[in-house]
Amino acid sequence: MTSTELDDCLVVVIDMHKGHIGPVATIPAPASELDVMVPKLSNFLGEARKRNVPIVHVRFEAVKGIHNDHPAWIERWSDAHCLEGSPTTEFVLKPEKGDYVIESKRTYNCFAHTDLEIYLKRLHRHTVVITGIATDCCCLATAFGAIDLHYKVIAISDCQVGMTPESSSAALGIVADMLGKVMTSAQFLAETRQYA
């Protein structure tokens, strides 16, 4: 990765909130995987800040009876997931000074009906570095959303968690085969260290 490429990156932190993490989670991610991933992601974000890479935290937040009220949610998830104003929308990894926040993602893809593309354009970034929850759902949907808008994609494999190891591996395979790059946090940071 060259200096110019680093200057082109923006990190997206997807749905790192209590809706997926902890005792009130309505769609809990696997706790054992979170125990490993969360410290890695926290370290990765700290290093990204040192390299002046913008970070955008995005959270899903649903209006009751609107965003969770369709068959995909009713059949698979909880229609009470991350309702507006509920404790489940609270970030577990808190945004820090200089980070950006998108408060109201309404669906899987972080680009759909949000300001994410506005941040990319205003910050002159064209590479979306994807982290967070879930590898096999919102992270993958966001990767497709980025490609549809002609942005480059890097998925940080050890800074994401999916619902199952099998579906996570399949999702990362799709990214690697068709959408962009898959890297570990150590690989990304090693390639960018000389430009810090």
Side-chain angles (χ1 to χ4, degrees), residues 20-56:
H20 291 305
I21 303 169
V24 299
T26 43
I27 304 178
S32 60
E33 294 187 31
L34 287 169
D35 289 344
V36 176
M37 185 274 274
V38 173
K40 286 189 177 183
L41 178 53
S42 180
N43 177 71
F44 178 72
L45 296 179
E47 292 297 324
R49 292 181 187 104
K50 291 178 185 176
R51 290 160 172 74
N52 297 314
V53 178
I55 297 168
V56 178

Coordinates of all heavy atoms in Angstrom, one line a residue, residues 20-56:
H20 N -25.9 -5.9 19.4 CA -25.2 -7.2 19.0 C -24.3 -7.7 20.1 O -23.8 -8.8 20.1 CB -24.3 -6.9 17.8 CG -25.1 -6.7 16.5 ND1 -26.0 -7.6 16.0 CD2 -25.1 -5.7 15.6 CE1 -26.5 -7.2 14.9 NE2 -26.0 -6.0 14.6
I21 N -24.0 -6.8 21.1 CA -22.9 -7.1 22.1 C -23.5 -6.9 23.5 O -24.0 -5.9 23.8 CB -21.7 -6.1 21.9 CG1 -21.2 -6.2 20.4 CG2 -20.6 -6.4 22.9 CD1 -20.2 -5.1 20.1
G22 N -23.3 -8.0 24.3 CA -23.7 -7.8 25.7 C -25.0 -8.4 26.1 O -25.7 -9.0 25.2
P23 N -25.4 -8.2 27.3 CA -26.6 -8.9 27.9 C -27.9 -8.4 27.3 O -28.9 -9.2 27.4 CB -26.5 -8.6 29.4 CG -25.7 -7.4 29.5 CD -24.7 -7.4 28.4
V24 N -28.0 -7.2 26.7 CA -29.3 -6.8 26.2 C -29.4 -7.0 24.7 O -30.4 -6.5 24.1 CB -29.6 -5.3 26.6 CG1 -29.7 -5.1 28.1 CG2 -28.6 -4.4 25.9
A25 N -28.4 -7.6 24.1 CA -28.4 -7.8 22.6 C -29.6 -8.5 22.1 O -30.1 -9.5 22.7 CB -27.2 -8.6 22.2
T26 N -30.2 -7.9 21.1 CA -31.4 -8.5 20.5 C -31.0 -9.4 19.3 O -31.8 -10.4 19.0 CB -32.4 -7.4 20.0 OG1 -31.6 -6.4 19.3 CG2 -33.2 -6.8 21.1
I27 N -29.9 -9.2 18.7 CA -29.3 -10.1 17.7 C -27.8 -10.3 18.1 O -26.9 -9.6 17.6 CB -29.4 -9.5 16.2 CG1 -30.8 -9.2 15.9 CG2 -28.8 -10.5 15.3 CD1 -31.0 -8.6 14.5
P28 N -27.6 -11.2 19.1 CA -26.2 -11.3 19.6 C -25.2 -11.9 18.7 O -25.5 -12.9 18.0 CB -26.4 -12.2 20.9 CG -27.7 -12.9 20.6 CD -28.5 -12.0 19.7
A29 N -24.1 -11.3 18.5 CA -23.0 -11.9 17.8 C -22.3 -12.9 18.8 O -22.4 -12.7 20.0 CB -22.0 -10.8 17.4
P30 N -21.6 -13.8 18.3 CA -20.9 -14.8 19.1 C -20.0 -14.2 20.1 O -19.0 -13.6 19.8 CB -20.2 -15.8 18.2 CG -20.9 -15.6 16.8 CD -21.3 -14.1 16.8
A31 N -20.2 -14.4 21.4 CA -19.5 -13.8 22.5 C -18.0 -14.1 22.4 O -17.1 -13.3 22.7 CB -20.1 -14.1 23.8
S32 N -17.7 -15.4 22.2 CA -16.3 -15.9 22.2 C -15.5 -15.2 21.1 O -14.3 -14.8 21.2 CB -16.2 -17.4 22.0 OG -16.8 -17.8 20.8
E33 N -16.1 -14.9 19.9 CA -15.5 -14.2 18.8 C -15.3 -12.7 19.1 O -14.3 -12.1 18.8 CB -16.2 -14.4 17.5 CG -16.1 -15.9 17.1 CD -16.7 -16.1 15.7 OE1 -16.6 -15.2 14.8 OE2 -17.2 -17.2 15.4
L34 N -16.4 -12.2 19.8 CA -16.3 -10.7 20.2 C -15.1 -10.5 21.2 O -14.5 -9.5 21.1 CB -17.6 -10.3 20.8 CG -18.8 -10.1 19.8 CD1 -20.1 -9.9 20.6 CD2 -18.5 -8.9 18.9
D35 N -14.9 -11.4 22.1 CA -13.9 -11.3 23.1 C -12.5 -11.1 22.4 O -11.6 -10.5 22.9 CB -13.8 -12.5 24.0 CG -15.0 -12.5 25.0 OD1 -15.7 -11.5 25.1 OD2 -15.2 -13.6 25.5
V36 N -12.3 -11.7 21.2 CA -11.1 -11.6 20.5 C -11.1 -10.4 19.6 O -10.1 -9.7 19.5 CB -10.9 -12.9 19.6 CG1 -9.6 -12.8 18.8 CG2 -10.7 -14.1 20.5
M37 N -12.2 -10.2 18.9 CA -12.3 -9.1 17.9 C -12.3 -7.7 18.5 O -11.6 -6.8 18.0 CB -13.5 -9.3 17.0 CG -13.6 -8.3 15.9 SD -14.4 -6.7 16.3 CE -16.1 -7.1 16.0
V38 N -13.0 -7.5 19.6 CA -13.2 -6.1 20.1 C -11.9 -5.4 20.4 O -11.6 -4.3 20.0 CB -14.2 -6.0 21.2 CG1 -14.3 -4.6 21.8 CG2 -15.6 -6.4 20.7
P39 N -11.0 -6.1 21.2 CA -9.7 -5.5 21.5 C -8.9 -5.2 20.2 O -8.2 -4.2 20.1 CB -9.0 -6.5 22.4 CG -10.1 -7.3 22.9 CD -11.1 -7.4 21.9
K40 N -8.9 -6.1 19.2 CA -8.2 -5.9 18.0 C -8.7 -4.7 17.2 O -8.0 -3.9 16.7 CB -8.3 -7.2 17.1 CG -7.4 -8.3 17.6 CD -7.4 -9.4 16.5 CE -6.4 -10.5 17.0 NZ -6.3 -11.6 16.0
L41 N -10.1 -4.6 17.2 CA -10.6 -3.4 16.5 C -10.3 -2.1 17.2 O -10.0 -1.1 16.6 CB -12.2 -3.6 16.4 CG -12.9 -2.4 15.8 CD1 -12.4 -2.1 14.4 CD2 -14.4 -2.8 15.7
S42 N -10.3 -2.1 18.6 CA -10.0 -0.9 19.3 C -8.6 -0.5 19.0 O -8.3 0.7 18.8 CB -10.1 -1.2 20.8 OG -9.8 -0.1 21.6
N43 N -7.6 -1.5 19.0 CA -6.2 -1.2 18.7 C -6.1 -0.7 17.2 O -5.4 0.3 16.9 CB -5.4 -2.4 18.8 CG -3.9 -2.2 18.4 OD1 -3.2 -1.5 19.1 ND2 -3.5 -2.8 17.3
F44 N -6.8 -1.3 16.3 CA -6.8 -0.9 14.9 C -7.3 0.5 14.7 O -6.6 1.3 14.0 CB -7.6 -1.8 14.1 CG -7.7 -1.5 12.6 CD1 -6.6 -1.7 11.8 CD2 -8.8 -1.0 12.1 CE1 -6.6 -1.4 10.4 CE2 -8.9 -0.7 10.7 CZ -7.8 -0.9 9.9
L45 N -8.3 0.9 15.4 CA -8.8 2.3 15.3 C -7.9 3.3 15.9 O -7.7 4.4 15.3 CB -10.2 2.4 16.0 CG -11.3 1.5 15.4 CD1 -12.6 1.7 16.2 CD2 -11.6 1.9 13.9
G46 N -7.2 2.9 17.0 CA -6.2 3.8 17.5 C -5.1 4.0 16.6 O -4.6 5.2 16.4
E47 N -4.6 3.0 15.9 CA -3.5 3.1 14.9 C -4.0 3.9 13.7 O -3.2 4.7 13.1 CB -3.0 1.7 14.5 CG -2.3 1.0 15.7 CD -1.0 1.8 16.1 OE1 -0.3 2.4 15.3 OE2 -0.8 1.7 17.4
A48 N -5.2 3.7 13.3 CA -5.8 4.4 12.1 C -5.8 5.9 12.5 O -5.4 6.8 11.6 CB -7.1 3.9 11.8
R49 N -6.2 6.3 13.7 CA -6.2 7.7 14.1 C -4.8 8.3 14.0 O -4.6 9.4 13.6 CB -6.7 7.9 15.5 CG -8.2 7.5 15.6 CD -8.8 7.7 17.0 NE -10.2 7.2 17.1 CZ -10.5 6.1 17.6 NH1 -9.6 5.3 18.2 NH2 -11.8 5.7 17.7
K50 N -3.8 7.5 14.4 CA -2.4 8.0 14.4 C -2.0 8.3 12.9 O -1.1 9.2 12.7 CB -1.4 7.0 15.0 CG -1.6 6.8 16.5 CD -0.6 5.8 17.0 CE -0.8 5.5 18.5 NZ 0.1 4.4 18.9
R51 N -2.5 7.6 12.0 CA -2.2 7.7 10.6 C -3.1 8.7 9.9 O -3.1 8.8 8.7 CB -2.3 6.4 9.9 CG -1.1 5.4 10.3 CD -1.5 4.0 10.0 NE -0.3 3.1 10.2 CZ 0.1 2.7 11.4 NH1 -0.4 3.2 12.5 NH2 1.2 1.9 11.5
N52 N -4.0 9.4 10.7 CA -4.9 10.4 10.1 C -5.9 9.8 9.1 O -6.3 10.5 8.2 CB -4.2 11.6 9.5 CG -3.3 12.3 10.6 OD1 -3.8 12.6 11.7 ND2 -2.1 12.6 10.2
V53 N -6.3 8.5 9.3 CA -7.3 7.9 8.5 C -8.7 8.2 9.1 O -8.9 7.9 10.3 CB -7.1 6.4 8.4 CG1 -8.2 5.8 7.6 CG2 -5.7 6.1 7.8
P54 N -9.6 8.8 8.4 CA -10.9 9.1 9.0 C -11.7 7.9 9.4 O -11.6 6.8 8.7 CB -11.6 9.9 7.9 CG -10.6 10.3 6.9 CD -9.5 9.3 7.0
I55 N -12.4 8.0 10.5 CA -13.2 6.8 11.0 C -14.6 7.3 11.1 O -14.9 8.3 11.7 CB -12.7 6.4 12.4 CG1 -11.2 5.9 12.3 CG2 -13.6 5.3 13.0 CD1 -10.5 5.7 13.6
V56 N -15.5 6.5 10.5 CA -17.0 6.8 10.6 C -17.7 5.6 11.3 O -17.6 4.5 10.8 CB -17.6 7.0 9.2 CG1 -19.1 7.2 9.3 CG2 -16.9 8.1 8.5

